[in-house]
Amino acid sequence: MSSPPDCLLRLLRGAPRQWVCTLFIIGFKFTFFVFLMIYWHIVGEPKGQGHLYSLPADVRCPHLAPLMLPPSSPPPGNIFFLETSDRTNPNFLFMCSVESAARAHPESRVVVLMKGLPGGNASLPRHLGISLLGCFPNVQMLPLDLGALFRGTPLAAWHAATRWRWEPYLLPVLSDAARIALMWKFGGIYLDTDFIVLKSLRNLTNTLGTQSRYVLNGAFLAFEQRHKFMALCMRDFVAHYNGWVWGHQGPQLLTRVFKKWCGIRSLGERHTCHGVTALPREAFYPIPWQNWKRYFEDISPEEMARLLNGTYAVHVWNKKSQGTRFEATSQALLAQLHARYCPTTHEAMKMYL
């Protein structure tokens, strides 16, 4: 009896075309499966978010103290949030981020730019999150046109080419590009949608935050319109582009540019130079990403006050923490932050979770 390898060789010699086709189909299916796994890992719907589809589409707005409304066409200095995926149903952390920013800055316009929103005069989708955020008169939900945002910047040609290629981190990289283009074109404050704002950020200009001893982070940015630092970031984005390394176009880019801007080799050498400031870790990242579970652990009010003494806003590291459940009425740090800084979202959580 022939051994299995001999049989296989005879089959391959006997029907080469059929075997080539079979192997091609198997290889294609395997590649497609791997692509799907990576896609859903990077840009898929976050764990624990499916229940959002069963929530009511409307919410009763609470009584809010009179706010000093910004003018309809305000000068540069808005607070921006970005959603570069096609999602239009903000989760509770997203809602809390925007609400906390709106409450901390009643005199400012808080602009939420979402790629999935329809343009023109079309009405907004009916989701609980959009309804809740509509309760705040200084919050504005607008469609995000990435082509228009990148037009006239060094990022325009790069963005035009993205439609013809696949990369594992394209959605986060798009977000990295959009925030620096936004800051350069309009100026103001940018925040990721997994921040909870504790106090006004208005005294911060040409500022970003330090994530660790070795790297900066762009989850918070505050810059004047057309600032040279942001222009340098856009040029570096294209000149040293590598979409296959996580963070290369985000935190690592900001760290590279800051070192070049200051003429230093280590972040420990300088924290302010040529008008740009890198605030210490406790300003925005009091809990390192490695310790993200601390947000879901009980904490006393006294310990919480000590932890957040020097903090403007807390970054919850949603990439790590998404899908982690907690009781809205518990003494977990995240529950207490919701209750204090985004009470409208907190009430909705208690009602529907």
Side-chain angles (χ1 to χ4, degrees):
M1 178 179 288
S2 301
S3 63
D6 292 335
C7 294
L8 181 60
L9 288 173
R10 280 201 296 272
L11 284 170
L12 285 170
R13 285 194 295 267
R17 185 170 301 174
Q18 292 89 333
W19 272 102
V20 168
C21 291
T22 301
L23 290 173
F24 174 80
I25 293 171
I26 293 172
F28 176 82
K29 288 185 175 181
F30 177 77
T31 304
F32 183 72
F33 175 77
V34 172
F35 167 81
L36 281 180
M37 293 301 99
I38 296 175
Y39 178 86
W40 285 113
H41 176 71
I42 301 300
V43 304
E45 183 179 39
K47 297 173 290 183
Q49 187 150 294
H51 71 277
L52 288 175
Y53 292 104
S54 62
L55 294 177
D58 299 298
V59 64
R60 176 178 293 182
C61 292
H63 174 73
L64 297 172
L67 300 179
M68 185 196 316
L69 298 182
S72 56
S73 298
N78 294 329
I79 299 169
F80 293 101
F81 291 89
L82 288 172
E83 177 55 76
T84 51
S85 78
D86 289 324
R87 298 190 194 110
T88 58
N89 54 332
N91 61 23
F92 284 116
L93 181 55
F94 191 133
M95 297 178 217
C96 185
S97 297
V98 179
E99 179 185 346
S100 64
R103 287 181 178 275
H105 306 86
E107 77 293 346
S108 301
R109 186 165 69 163
V110 179
V111 182
V112 183
L113 296 167
M114 304 183 78
K115 181 173 173 285
L117 290 183
N121 296 320
S123 58
L124 293 174
R126 296 184 69 244
H127 293 303
L128 175 69
I130 290 179
S131 174
L132 184 146
L133 295 177
C135 294
F136 299 90
N138 59 331
V139 172
Q140 187 172 12
M141 316 282 289
L142 295 174
L144 171 62
D145 184 339
L146 288 171
L149 177 61
F150 294 134
R151 192 173 300 130
T153 76
L155 303 172
W158 165 82
H159 176 248
T162 58
R163 70 189 66 182
W164 307 112
R165 64 170 179 257
W166 178 86
E167 293 173 2
Y169 306 119
L170 186 56
L171 199 61
V173 168
L174 272 174
S175 179
D176 292 331
R179 70 189 66 179
I180 59 178
L182 196 64
M183 287 293 95
W184 183 78
K185 273 196 167 183
F186 301 104
I189 295 170
Y190 165 81
L191 290 165
D192 272 2
T193 57
D194 54 353
F195 258 114
I196 299 178
V197 180
L198 311 188
K199 55 188 176 184
S200 176
L201 307 170
R202 275 297 170 204
N203 62 325
L204 304 177
T205 306
N206 303 329
T207 303
L208 65 168
T210 303
Q211 176 180 314
S212 70
R213 292 171 53 194
Y214 307 105
V215 68
L216 304 178
N217 195 304
F220 160 83
L221 296 170
F223 278 87
E224 296 171 332
Q225 187 179 29
R226 297 185 180 268
H227 195 278
K228 291 181 180 179
F229 184 85
M230 286 291 104
L232 189 59
C233 286
M234 290 191 294
R235 290 197 293 271
D236 186 280
F237 188 100
V238 175
H240 302 107
Y241 185 75
N242 186 344
W244 290 83
V245 177
W246 173 262
H248 184 81
Q249 301 301 117
Q252 293 178 33
L253 178 147
L254 292 166
T255 305
R256 291 193 304 270
V257 173
F258 187 79
K259 288 179 178 179
K260 185 185 300 182
W261 180 266
C262 296
I264 58 177
R265 292 187 176 183
S266 169
L267 291 180
E269 296 178 36
R270 297 282 295 277
H271 297 291
T272 301
C273 58
H274 307 304
V276 176
T277 299
L279 290 177
R281 182 178 59 81
E282 57 267 21
F284 298 102
Y285 312 101
I287 295 178
W289 68 266
Q290 297 92 334
N291 300 333
W292 64 267
K293 291 183 180 179
R294 285 192 65 187
Y295 283 110
F296 301 90
E297 297 172 357
D298 289 358
I299 188 172
S300 69
E302 296 77 18
E303 186 181 355
M304 178 172 154
R306 287 193 297 271
L307 175 67
L308 305 178
N309 181 51
T311 303
Y312 286 91
V314 293
H315 191 245
V316 183
W317 306 109
N318 186 55
K319 181 171 174 58
K320 292 290 183 180
S321 64
Q322 62 183 4
T324 304
R325 303 297 295 271
F326 65 97
E327 291 293 331
T329 57
S330 71
Q331 291 302 304
L333 174 56
L334 191 55
Q336 294 190 57
L337 290 170
H338 276 77
R340 183 177 301 182
Y341 299 104
C342 54
T344 305
T345 300
H346 188 243
E347 287 300 317
M349 291 176 66
K350 291 194 296 182
M351 188 177 302
Y352 300 118
L353 280 185

